[in-house]
Amino acid sequence: MTKTVNLALQGGGSHGAFTWGVLDFLLEDDRLDFDAITGTSAGAMNAAVLAEGFLHGGRKGARENLTQFWRSVSAENALSPVQAKIFDLFFGYGTIPSRINAWWTDLLTHYFSPYEFNPFDLNPLRDHLEAVVNFEKVRSCEQLKLFVPATNVYMGKIKVFQRRELTADHVLASACLPFLFRAVEIDGIPYWDGGYMGNPALFPLFYETECPDIVIVQINPIERKEVPVRAREIQNRSNEITFNGALMGELRAIDFVSRLVDSGKLSREDYMRPFVHRIDGGTLLLPFSADSKLDSSWPLISQFFEFGRDAAKQWLDKNYDSIGKESTLDLRMAFA
């Protein structure tokens, strides 16, 4: 029996390959259908790539499209010399020369803005995305609802773009780290990474779908058992906390409303009683520093992919019977 769920995909650079692995297994396994996907940054890219592949090739096409995208991100491809230098600077953290690049990147981004060191606004991710995704097809993919959050720089508020309006700019806005890239302007409004306000945003799933089951694919660790002492470590941990903050706030709100519904203080006719589930990549990715989110080497991407497939299989085998009946994530225990 196939059950239907909504997916909520966190962002996190190359750690998004874990999510690729999760999606690859769920598409192959065939026990779950997807009604809607909300995704931020790398999660938004995974969602758009999946939707375009699904439209022309079903589940198999979605898997093939995701594989093509992540191989493209990792491969030595035909970028222009200037693009290649920027790509190497920002996305090559694995070797000793790249560690020197990392030091220079830290120095550069602390004292100069992308408006200064990247005046032509080059973004290699655009080439990878547009090579794999036909956004006209994504906009016409009626089988899936898509929600892509970005942060309005002027207002400091979240903006959620929906499938029918998506272009490459909307997805790149959701992935726009302001110390690396210039704000992405859409209709005259500048946007930064959606992770600041929703990583990912869950609330569209309550207003735009009737499916009560939400499967969160989480790739940012919530807990770490050591105190960061070096400047880079402090910055990395601060970023992890920041990019989990909005999600934790939404989950606390879900827990609060769910308890009111369960106690009869709120009507089930007026309020959805969501069932929340989590495929936890944060624990598996805990040994990898936040710097590794900028490492696009194929061995690391492949490792994250296999982590994702294994985690998805273990989660689904254990929790399939609960889908549609109850949450398998104890919100009070996990986030209180």
Side-chain angles (χ1 to χ4, degrees), residues 295-332:
D295 186 342
S296 65
S297 63
W298 182 247
L300 195 64
I301 294 287
S302 300
Q303 187 175 10
F304 293 158
F305 169 77
E306 293 299 335
F307 282 168
R309 279 189 57 89
D310 292 344
K313 182 180 188 308
Q314 292 179 30
W315 174 83
L316 191 56
D317 288 345
K318 179 180 179 182
N319 297 298
Y320 174 77
D321 290 339
S322 296
I323 296 172
K325 300 176 182 178
E326 61 184 359
S327 294
T328 58
L329 176 63
D330 187 332
L331 295 179
R332 300 187 74 182

Side-chain angles (χ1 to χ4, degrees), residues 92-158:
Y93 269 60
T95 63
I96 289 178
S98 68
R99 291 176 191 270
I100 297 173
N101 276 349
W103 184 85
W104 277 107
T105 301
D106 276 348
L107 183 66
L108 198 63
T109 56
H110 273 83
Y111 293 99
F112 299 93
S113 85
Y115 294 83
E116 297 169 313
F117 65 72
N118 187 9
F120 298 106
D121 197 22
L122 298 175
N123 187 339
L125 287 175
R126 179 182 293 276
D127 295 324
H128 297 289
L129 193 60
E130 292 182 337
V132 176
V133 180
N134 181 327
F135 279 91
E136 184 176 353
K137 289 184 177 180
V138 171
R139 292 191 294 272
S140 66
C141 183
E142 299 288 344
Q143 297 95 322
L144 282 172
K145 304 178 184 73
L146 297 182
F147 307 102
V148 173
T151 301
N152 183 317
V153 179
Y154 288 156
M155 304 296 292
K157 295 180 180 179
I158 190 170

Side-chain angles (χ1 to χ4, degrees), residues 214-216 218 222 276-280 315 328-329 334-335:
I214 302 171
V215 179
I216 301 167
Q218 187 164 0
I222 291 178
V276 183
H277 317 276
R278 177 176 65 181
I279 300 176
D280 185 10
W315 174 83
T328 58
L329 176 63
F335 300 105

Side-chain angles (χ1 to χ4, degrees), residues 183 195 246 271 308:
Y271 292 87

Side-chain angles (χ1 to χ4, degrees), residues 76-228:
E76 291 288 335
N77 47 52
L79 297 173
S80 70
V82 175
Q83 287 176 316
K85 285 186 179 298
I86 291 177
F87 194 84
D88 288 342
L89 179 63
F90 292 137
F91 297 93
Y93 269 60
T95 63
I96 289 178
S98 68
R99 291 176 191 270
I100 297 173
N101 276 349
W103 184 85
W104 277 107
T105 301
D106 276 348
L107 183 66
L108 198 63
T109 56
H110 273 83
Y111 293 99
F112 299 93
S113 85
Y115 294 83
E116 297 169 313
F117 65 72
N118 187 9
F120 298 106
D121 197 22
L122 298 175
N123 187 339
L125 287 175
R126 179 182 293 276
D127 295 324
H128 297 289
L129 193 60
E130 292 182 337
V132 176
V133 180
N134 181 327
F135 279 91
E136 184 176 353
K137 289 184 177 180
V138 171
R139 292 191 294 272
S140 66
C141 183
E142 299 288 344
Q143 297 95 322
L144 282 172
K145 304 178 184 73
L146 297 182
F147 307 102
V148 173
T151 301
N152 183 317
V153 179
Y154 288 156
M155 304 296 292
K157 295 180 180 179
I158 190 170
K159 170 68 175 178
V160 178
F161 301 104
Q162 299 195 30
R163 187 207 70 242
R164 59 180 176 269
E165 61 187 322
L166 287 185
T167 66
D169 282 341
H170 295 91
V171 176
L172 291 172
S174 184
C176 180
L177 291 171
F179 55 88
L180 292 182
F181 303 112
R182 298 168 62 171
V184 178
E185 285 201 10
I186 299 172
D187 296 328
I189 305 295
Y191 291 96
W192 283 345
D193 196 294
Y196 291 111
M197 301 302 295
N199 192 20
L202 303 183
F203 66 87
L205 303 176
F206 306 129
Y207 296 112
E208 302 291 341
T209 79
E210 296 181 359
C211 175
D213 286 272
I214 302 171
V215 179
I216 301 167
V217 182
Q218 187 164 0
I219 58 179
N220 291 309
I222 291 178
E223 296 184 13
R224 287 190 182 271
K225 297 301 183 182
E226 67 274 353
V227 177

